[in-house]
Amino acid sequence: QVQLVQSGGGYVQTGGSLTLSCEVSGTILSHNAIAWYRQVPGKQRDVVASVTTTALTKYADSVKGRFTISRDNAKNTMYLQMNNLKPEDTAVYYCALSREVTVTPRSATWGQGTQVTVSS
């Protein structure tokens, strides 16, 4: 059974940094596409950053140059480093993975979500 357990997140002021972690069990992380999504109340869950099984990395335009997705295969853990945070980054963040080439909401296995709040 594949499980994703998130840690990190919390409250930070504008311009601050946070790192989200997502420890994976039940599968070998390097065999999967990975992604981070975020969701605010009343809106759909949107992808923030992703890496396909072919190692193609993509970022949402709103986070380019500020967020970095990565993984440590030895620890079977994925990360999202968030710098220069803005109030509009406030959301619940979810890690996700898929055995397909890329993560989609349909194919994803999800972490439990973690709140990130950026004060102005």
Side-chain angles (χ1 to χ4, degrees), residues 8-9 15 29-30 67 69 72 97 116:
L29 185 59
S30 61
F67 289 15
I69 186 172
D72 184 333
L97 59 74
V116 171

Side-chain angles (χ1 to χ4, degrees), residues 20 22 24 28-36 50-57 59 68-81 96-98 101 103:
L20 306 182
C22 178
V24 177
I28 298 174
L29 185 59
S30 61
H31 293 178
N32 290 267
I34 62 173
W36 288 91
S50 63
V51 183
T52 68
T53 55
T54 57
L56 177 64
T57 302
Y59 294 94
T68 303
I69 186 172
S70 64
R71 62 176 146 199
D72 184 333
N73 291 331
K75 295 182 178 180
N76 229 39
T77 300
M78 55 191 287
Y79 304 94
L80 184 68
Q81 174 66 44
L97 59 74
S98 172
V101 172
V103 178

Side-chain angles (χ1 to χ4, degrees), residues 25-67:
S25 61
T27 186
I28 298 174
L29 185 59
S30 61
H31 293 178
N32 290 267
I34 62 173
W36 288 91
Y37 283 69
R38 66 186 181 189
Q39 188 172 24
V40 297
K43 294 190 175 181
Q44 68 179 20
R45 195 173 296 186
D46 291 327
V47 61
V48 172
S50 63
V51 183
T52 68
T53 55
T54 57
L56 177 64
T57 302
K58 291 185 177 180
Y59 294 94
D61 288 343
S62 58
V63 306
K64 280 182 181 176
R66 301 188 297 122
F67 289 15

Side-chain angles (χ1 to χ4, degrees), residues 12 14-16 38-40 48 62-63 66-67 82-93 114-118:
V12 65
T14 296
R38 66 186 181 189
Q39 188 172 24
V40 297
V48 172
S62 58
V63 306
R66 301 188 297 122
F67 289 15
M82 305 183 291
N83 298 326
N84 191 21
L85 283 160
K86 304 176 181 181
E88 51 265 41
D89 295 319
T90 296
V92 177
Y93 284 72
T114 187
Q115 177 70 44
V116 171
T117 302
V118 185

